[in-house]
Amino acid sequence: ALEQKRQAAKAKFEASQKAKGLVEYNGKWGTPEQVKQWKEIEVGLDKNFTHLSHFEFEEFIAELFRKMGYDTTVTRKTGDFGIDVVAKNSKDAIAIQVKQNSPGNHVGAVTVQNVLGSMWQYKANKAIIITTADFTVQAEQQAREAPVELWNKRTLHEMVRKYFIDK
């Protein structure tokens, strides 16, 4: 009887919270905007992923691509030919390099050249370079006609919101 009362009280409380437009997340109730903010903080968007080590960031990117529907492998830490994650689905094999750069520390053309040169090692048909900063004009020119996508901080944050937060 006591358990039934507890369950009924809990259901009543949840209904009253939902009636106020609140959402439960990890045992807390908040507005949808608050919950979105909590998720962004939890994932590290607010800190631009500076709380993660390089290897944790590679694992995080692998998880992002898993959420996007790819099978992913984080490459070994040395002798990886500059590729950090390999993501595969029925259409693509993508060689991914991640750069945790501070703002203003842009990724240059040499990185694009190196990634293009390393794709063969993983039988990749495309590559993505992901940075927490941005790219130089030369890097963008180098990538323009090549099978390589450049994801700067803005693109990375959009993809993280789409696959970790807005789902």
Side-chain angles (χ1 to χ4, degrees), residues 134-159:
D134 213 335
F135 295 91
T136 63
V137 171
Q138 294 84 356
E140 289 171 357
Q141 288 170 342
Q142 188 82 48
R144 197 162 291 134
E145 300 298 320
V148 61
E149 286 179 34
L150 303 181
W151 289 17
N152 63 9
K153 175 184 172 178
R154 189 177 45 76
T155 304
L156 171 60
H157 284 221
E158 281 171 15
M159 297 306 273

Side-chain angles (χ1 to χ4, degrees), residues 32-76:
E33 293 76 30
Q34 285 172 316
V35 170
K36 194 171 180 177
Q37 217 172 15
W38 295 338
K39 287 180 178 181
E40 288 187 8
I41 290 167
E42 186 177 54
V43 164
L45 272 178
D46 62 321
K47 296 183 194 78
N48 198 25
F49 311 103
T50 54
H51 67 297
L52 299 177
S53 73
H54 184 69
F55 301 121
E56 289 169 332
F57 188 57
E58 290 176 5
E59 291 288 348
F60 178 78
I61 295 300
E63 178 63 22
L64 171 62
F65 277 80
R66 276 193 289 280
K67 288 179 180 283
M68 293 168 64
Y70 292 88
D71 291 323
T72 60
T73 310
V74 176
T75 62
R76 64 179 202 248

Side-chain angles (χ1 to χ4, degrees), residues 65-127:
F65 277 80
R66 276 193 289 280
K67 288 179 180 283
M68 293 168 64
Y70 292 88
D71 291 323
T72 60
T73 310
V74 176
T75 62
R76 64 179 202 248
K77 306 213 180 324
T78 57
D80 63 8
F81 298 91
I83 302 302
D84 300 309
V85 178
V86 178
K88 293 181 178 176
N89 66 12
S90 57
K91 283 194 342 238
D92 293 311
I94 307 170
I96 302 167
Q97 184 176 66
V98 301
K99 293 280 191 193
Q100 263 179 305
N101 290 9
S102 52
N105 185 5
H106 296 351
V107 176
V110 171
T111 300
V112 176
Q113 292 161 10
N114 291 345
V115 167
L116 285 168
S118 298
M119 286 172 60
W120 64 272
Q121 192 69 32
Y122 297 95
K123 298 175 177 56
N125 63 320
K126 68 193 257 189

